[in-house]
Amino acid sequence: MENRELWERLNMDLAKHDEFLAPLPQVFTELFLNRKNRPAAMGYFDAVVGDVHGIRVHELFAMKEAGAKVFSTFCVYVPEEIVVATGSASIGLCAGAQFTVSSGEKLLPRNLCPLIKSTMGFKLDRICPYFQVSDWVIGETTCDGKKKAWEILNEYIPTYVMDLPQKKDAKDAQLWEEEVREFAAFIERETKVDLTAENLAQGIEKINNKRQALQRLASLRKHNPAPIHGLDVLVINQLAFFDDPVRFAAQVNALCDELDVRVKEGVGVAPADAPRILLTGTPQPLPNWKLHALIEQTGAVVVGEETCTGERYYKDMTEPADNVTDMLANIAKRPLKVNCACFTPNQGRIEDISYMAKNLQADAVIDCTLQFCQPYGVESYFVGRAMEGTIPYLRLETDFSAEDQGQLLTRIEALIEMIRA
Amino acid sequence: MKQAGLDLGSVNTKLVVLEDGERIYSQVVPSRFDSVQAGIRLLKVYRAEYGEEPKQLVVTGYGRVNFPEGRVITEISCQGRGCHAYFPDYAYILDLGGQDAKVIKKNAQGKIVRFIMNDKCAAGTGRFLDIILKGLDLSSEELKLAADAKPMPINSMCTVFAESEVITMLAKGIPKPEVVAGLFKSTAQRLANFVESVGHPECLIFTGGGAHYNLLIRFLEQELKGKVVIPPEPELTAAFGAALLA
């Protein structure tokens, strides 16, 4: 089946979709393909982005024809293991395009996080095949904007909401474990597949292997000179939410093998004195590459992301167990180690940032918040206070639009001058 | 040896030339939406007068990335360098330019240790003041009276909303000097908060076109409970710093 036929069957707005995708090849060529000294193993990921609304959507469509379901998520807290265990697919959704923000604003307030507006716009405009192929959206209560937006989104696509606690005390952990068990029952009902010790162990193993591959990649970035650009790692982190977990992990490991050789030979993508930047804050969902591109345009290298399209997604493993009950308990434990600003207090995040900055030999930290994101915007106070006097630090606020690139670049260049002075 | 600094700003473009560290030339022209052309013109005028272009040139400001020659350094580093030459003992700089406002903190060696800039909005920038003042169409007498008038607070810091707030005040018969005093006081409050989000200076260096408003300086001193110092020709310090870095 050709892509267009598939998109038609998924009830997409083809004209609008063409308009949306039209600038992508040029942007991707300029930002990625034209860059020198990229690892050869990026070829796989380039091919995935090159046909981002094709290959994988065909796979998902075929899975559905064979009786499986597709569950879409927006958050690192949603337990993929459970979905994968049943033979169904868990994917992340596009949420990082300015193109769909204005449609989102038809239903949502303008003064709302662009990620939520972009998401809503993708569904309203019917230009995201992943949304169209999905049976369910799995939402969570990580912020008030999302929490309320799910109620509206539910009128367009069935939306299941997981209630994530706001603290990490024993009673919160208990509530979350109940939430995970309910979710497991829901997935069993929807997929008509029972969770067994065998299939759930496989689900855990598949997702853990993916996390392990991403950890290995992240750890290679601590070397100087940096063996890979941050922009390339960002796109891999973004695709981690979409791709088949087993194939993806194999490809990430193949890339790491290549980077191991680079590290051994002292080969890097930038000179050893290039400023090394750690990014922290809100996620950069596909296809938003703005900040990494601007930072690396100045000659600096992004060496880590303390974000949900980075460290938070893969830093913790689910412990194995020998029965379904214990496995679900362990699945529930993992997310509560993730330090998202939706929790109070969230001191662990400050420790994560400080540790990463040291471990990755970062020269500066950039704390970037999406406009109107309350949890991260407020928490910037603590991030700034912890960084002050220990490492050069810059706070930025932005959205998905291109118009503030000049202003952002001035700030980033000034930070680089500060480091180099 | 001659060193030149060219500051391609959103409102004005400025050139400063030094010879053996001493300033021998400075000029300011309006950018008129094309600071690059304004910069090229400035260099041409200089060349006509001095016979040759300065050997070493640093370009800074909003138009710097598109300028065909010179080494590019951001206005943050240039502003810091220029201010350090005048005030080596003071750490904090507030720069109120045409389309942005920034706070810079430097250390005793003049190295920049922190800076913040306003987000993408005209609120609290020089352009904000210009637009509202232009709308008020003040006589020099009214401006003088503003110095002693009771400030009428302006709550809205969105340029468009503030403009309509001012129109409403005037329609209610509030005297213009009170509105102007309120405008400067409200702006000073906002700028003081901006400065205090970085630190609490006993003495603040204030630069940019905004540093020409005496009433703003006075309110700023009140808000910060400290002293505000202005370098000679505060709109030229970034160009001066650029020349020093050239």
Side-chain angles (χ1 to χ4, degrees):
Chain A
M1 189 176 11
E2 290 291 313
N3 278 351
R4 292 192 84 80
E5 193 190 333
L6 173 70
W7 296 336
E8 223 155 32
R9 288 177 70 169
L10 291 173
N11 187 29
M12 289 177 63
D13 182 338
L14 289 186
K16 197 145 200 177
H17 182 245
D18 286 345
E19 196 190 329
F20 170 61
L21 279 192
L24 190 70
Q26 199 199 334
V27 171
F28 192 71
T29 302
E30 278 170 20
L31 288 183
F32 291 87
L33 304 181
N34 285 351
R35 213 152 9 92
K36 290 195 184 77
N37 208 9
R38 297 177 74 223
M42 281 307 294
Y44 168 77
F45 304 101
D46 290 345
V48 174
V49 178
D51 189 23
V52 71
H53 282 183
I55 312 172
R56 182 66 178 141
V57 185
H58 282 280
E59 277 180 3
L60 295 168
F61 193 78
M63 280 174 79
K64 279 177 66 138
E65 300 270 275
K69 299 241 160 149
V70 178
F71 298 89
S72 293
T73 68
F74 286 96
C75 182
V76 306
Y77 286 108
V78 176
E80 296 169 71
E81 297 94 331
I82 295 171
V83 178
V84 171
T86 63
S88 277
S90 167
I91 59 166
L93 283 180
C94 303
Q98 182 62 24
F99 187 87
T100 57
V101 163
S102 64
S103 295
E105 286 173 352
K106 286 181 202 163
L107 303 185
L108 297 167
R110 281 180 56 91
N111 294 356
L112 188 73
C113 153
L115 193 152
I116 303 173
K117 290 189 289 193
S118 173
T119 300
M120 190 68 81
F122 270 115
K123 185 62 206 170
L124 292 178
D125 286 350
R126 293 182 288 114
I127 59 168
C128 174
Y130 295 98
F131 237 138
Q132 298 305 105
V133 83
S134 294
D135 297 286
W136 281 90
V137 165
I138 311 300
E140 22 47 53
T141 54
T142 43
C143 73
D144 289 350
K146 273 188 182 180
K147 188 170 78 184
K148 297 307 289 181
W150 303 137
E151 295 172 24
I152 302 177
L153 190 64
N154 188 46
E155 297 188 345
Y156 295 84
I157 179 168
T159 303
Y160 180 97
V161 180
M162 295 188 78
D163 185 6
L164 188 76
Q166 302 189 359
K167 295 174 84 175
K168 291 180 179 175
D169 296 337
K171 64 178 184 306
D172 303 299
Q174 201 185 337
L175 174 113
W176 178 242
E177 192 181 316
E178 280 167 30
E179 252 336 267
V180 168
R181 289 188 194 282
E182 260 178 44
F183 177 71
F186 159 76
I187 294 293
E188 284 183 315
R189 256 190 338 265
E190 280 302 310
T191 60
K192 299 187 176 64
V193 176
D194 286 335
L195 289 170
T196 64
E198 198 190 350
N199 66 21
L200 193 51
Q202 280 171 7
I204 291 173
E205 195 189 351
K206 280 179 190 169
I207 302 302
N208 272 350
N209 286 344
K210 170 164 80 166
R211 291 180 187 130
Q212 200 167 29
L214 290 166
Q215 283 174 10
R216 186 180 163 203
L217 176 60
S219 157
L220 281 160
R221 298 164 82 188
K222 69 170 181 268
H223 294 284
N224 193 17
I228 186 166
H229 277 117
L231 196 51
D232 278 335
V233 182
L234 175 65
V235 86
I236 291 170
N237 289 345
Q238 291 170 330
L239 293 174
F241 290 85
F242 288 77
D243 206 356
D244 173 74
V246 177
R247 180 179 56 212
F248 176 83
Q251 292 293 338
V252 173
N253 278 316
L255 170 68
C256 291
D257 291 342
E258 188 182 343
L259 297 185
D260 276 337
V261 177
R262 282 190 170 198
V263 168
K264 207 177 280 172
E265 293 173 352
V267 176
V269 289
D273 65 349
R276 299 164 65 85
I277 306 294
L278 170 65
L279 197 68
T280 181
T282 46
Q284 281 93 37
L286 258 182
N288 177 29
W289 302 306
K290 180 164 79 170
L291 206 58
H292 277 66
L294 287 171
I295 294 169
E296 298 198 328
Q297 182 187 324
T298 68
V301 188
V302 179
V303 292
E305 298 84 16
E306 192 281 313
T307 65
C308 296
T309 41
E311 197 77 1
R312 281 182 225 131
Y313 181 56
Y314 50 73
K315 81 177 176 72
D316 302 295
M317 296 287 189
T318 299
E319 290 293 317
D322 51 20
N323 61 74
V324 171
T325 306
D326 291 350
M327 285 180 199
L328 288 177
N330 289 349
I331 285 172
K333 274 183 197 138
R334 185 203 61 92
L336 293 186
K337 293 181 201 154
V338 178
N339 296 310
C340 172
C342 64
F343 285 96
T344 183
N346 193 34
Q347 180 58 27
R349 178 165 165 239
I350 308 298
E351 287 158 19
D352 288 347
I353 298 168
S354 301
Y355 172 75
M356 283 180 77
K358 203 171 156 205
N359 185 46
L360 297 167
Q361 304 182 59
D363 296 303
V365 172
I366 296 182
D367 175 18
C368 186
T369 309
L370 283 170
Q371 212 177 12
F372 308 117
C373 173
Q374 292 170 340
Y376 281 92
V378 175
E379 199 163 281
S380 281
Y381 169 79
F382 293 108
V383 176
R385 203 171 65 179
M387 298 302 116
E388 176 112 47
T390 61
I391 188 167
Y393 152 84
L394 174 66
R395 170 168 158 58
L396 295 174
E397 188 179 280
T398 186
D399 55 17
F400 300 146
S401 70
E403 77 224 12
D404 64 348
Q405 291 194 83
Q407 289 159 322
L408 291 173
L409 194 61
T410 299
R411 290 152 170 79
I412 295 164
E413 282 180 352
L415 178 75
I416 303 300
E417 288 167 0
M418 249 168 84
I419 300 167
R420 289 194 191 269
Chain B
M1 191 190 59
K2 285 181 183 162
Q3 299 162 278
L6 185 59
D7 177 7
L8 305 145
S10 62
V11 177
N12 289 319
T13 297
K14 311 105 189 173
L15 175 67
V16 168
V17 183
L18 310 175
E19 184 165 21
D20 301 326
E22 292 297 314
R23 192 160 95 183
I24 57 162
Y25 183 87
S26 63
Q27 190 63 258
V28 181
V29 295
S31 300
R32 298 196 201 290
F33 299 104
D34 193 347
S35 59
V36 172
Q37 278 311 314
I40 290 170
R41 266 200 321 276
L42 269 179
L43 284 175
K44 215 175 183 174
V45 171
Y46 173 82
R47 196 170 54 225
E49 209 168 310
Y50 284 80
E52 54 165 10
E53 284 212 3
K55 286 272 178 296
Q56 278 164 303
L57 173 70
V58 162
V59 291
T60 188
Y62 158 81
R64 70 190 184 285
V65 280
N66 297 319
F67 203 72
E69 54 182 314
R71 193 155 65 94
V72 175
I73 301 182
T74 64
E75 48 271 42
I76 292 120
S77 297
C78 292
Q79 191 63 258
R81 184 67 191 87
C83 287
H84 194 66
Y86 288 115
F87 304 108
D89 298 333
Y90 301 145
Y92 293 88
I93 303 161
L94 168 65
D95 178 59
L96 184 54
Q99 70 176 18
D100 63 30
K102 47 188 168 283
V103 177
I104 302 167
K105 186 182 174 189
K106 59 185 178 71
N107 66 14
Q109 287 74 48
K111 188 174 158 19
I112 289 159
V113 291
R114 214 184 142 198
F115 68 90
I116 55 167
M117 293 172 84
N118 65 313
D119 297 315
K120 51 176 193 181
C121 174
T125 67
R127 183 64 59 87
F128 169 76
L129 287 173
D130 288 346
I131 288 174
I132 310 284
L133 287 172
K134 209 170 176 185
L136 281 167
D137 194 20
L138 295 164
S139 65
S140 54
E141 186 58 26
E142 283 168 322
L143 196 56
K144 232 180 274 166
L145 283 172
D148 300 311
K150 179 172 71 89
M152 195 64 205
I154 293 177
N155 299 308
S156 193
M157 273 291 148
C158 165
T159 310
V160 178
F161 290 160
E163 215 176 356
S164 60
E165 204 177 326
V166 165
I167 292 167
T168 311
M169 285 183 190
L170 295 177
K172 278 187 193 157
I174 295 169
K176 275 189 196 174
E178 288 184 23
V179 177
V180 179
L183 171 69
F184 283 121
K185 190 178 160 80
S186 307
T187 307
Q189 272 169 346
R190 192 184 167 94
L191 291 173
N193 289 342
F194 195 45
V195 171
E196 288 186 331
S197 68
V198 179
H200 302 273
E202 278 176 24
C203 189
L204 174 75
I205 308 167
F206 187 19
T207 64
H212 283 296
Y213 296 115
N214 287 328
L215 205 49
L216 183 61
I217 298 166
R218 203 180 76 194
F219 283 124
L220 205 50
E221 287 187 325
Q222 278 175 14
E223 294 295 329
L224 288 168
K225 298 181 184 65
K227 202 168 83 175
V228 172
V229 292
I230 318 286
E233 298 171 275
E235 69 282 7
L236 282 180
T237 37
F240 176 56
L244 286 171
L245 289 167

